[in-house]
Amino acid sequence: MNSATTASRYSSTAIGLHWVLALAIIGSFSFGLYMPDLPVSPQRLRYYNYHKWAGACILALSALRLLWRLTHRPPADLPMPAWQQRAAHATHQLLYVLFFAVPLVGWAYSSAAGYPVVVFGVLPLPDFVPVDKDLAALIKPFHKYLAFTMAALVLVHVAGALKHHFLDRDGLLARMWPAGTRKDFV
């Protein structure tokens, strides 16, 4: 890794928040794909509760990440064509919007459907909207559509990072990789 790459790394806190949030989102999305086909059972109900807990944690992590981002400057952009910088910034901004929109819409659906969110089985969250079955039916597909939109943007984000790593070899991916995990990363 060259000194320019080292000087332009994200902070350990930013890296930690990035990877914990990434794992939580991938896990919650995967679980969200798995759950609907399960037969009605206590286990399915438990899985939906786990999914809601994950959503509440993702919402909290997203707030922490946004607060960190707003109070700590990221490294300078690496030299790249202007369209790539605009695409990267737009993707990041949309991801931040979806970090909040997906769990909030899920919470709204759960509230409207009359299913309370009780994080870890001990912390009841207030209803986000009043119980209204018609509203729940209206909201439900938006949680799915937003989640799939976020999944698509995550794939674009990963593809861009891999392109910079393997084709451009510009050290971009190493900026968000935990320090010391691989000395020969770049």
Side-chain angles (χ1 to χ4, degrees):
M1 194 174 333
N2 65 34
S3 61
T5 302
T6 304
S8 65
R9 290 182 52 80
Y10 284 86
S11 68
S12 296
T13 302
I15 292 169
L17 288 169
H18 174 272
W19 289 108
V20 169
L21 190 57
L23 291 173
I25 288 170
I26 291 167
S28 185
F29 181 77
S30 300
F31 215 52
L33 292 175
Y34 172 71
M35 295 180 316
D37 293 332
L38 294 174
V40 176
S41 67
Q43 181 174 352
R44 179 180 172 173
L45 180 60
R46 192 168 38 255
Y47 286 171
Y48 271 89
N49 283 324
Y50 295 163
H51 184 71
K52 290 188 226 181
W53 300 353
C57 291
I58 288 167
L59 192 57
L61 284 169
S62 297
L64 282 173
R65 185 169 180 192
L66 180 60
L67 180 63
W68 184 265
R69 173 62 183 84
L70 292 173
T71 58
H72 296 79
R73 292 181 58 97
D77 288 335
L78 294 177
M80 65 181 79
W83 72 268
Q84 285 184 18
Q85 286 184 355
R86 285 192 304 273
H89 289 289
T91 300
H92 284 118
Q93 289 171 349
L94 286 171
L95 281 170
Y96 270 98
V97 168
L98 291 167
F99 291 162
F100 290 93
V102 173
L104 287 173
V105 170
W107 183 6
Y109 164 70
S110 194
S111 295
Y115 304 122
V117 178
V118 184
V119 182
F120 304 124
V122 295
L123 179 64
L125 298 183
D127 283 338
F128 195 58
V129 298
V131 174
D132 180 335
K133 299 297 181 183
D134 292 332
L135 179 61
L138 181 68
I139 293 173
K140 185 177 183 178
F142 285 99
H143 181 61
K144 180 180 177 180
Y145 299 148
L146 290 170
F148 274 98
T149 301
M150 183 162 47
L153 281 173
V154 165
L155 291 176
V156 167
H157 177 70
V158 169
L162 293 175
K163 178 248 185 214
H164 280 276
H165 182 70
F166 290 110
L167 298 180
D168 298 343
R169 297 190 169 281
D170 59 9
L172 183 131
L173 185 60
R175 296 164 16 132
M176 189 52 83
W177 203 255
T181 54
R182 286 203 49 197
K183 297 293 182 202
D184 60 341
F185 192 71
V186 177

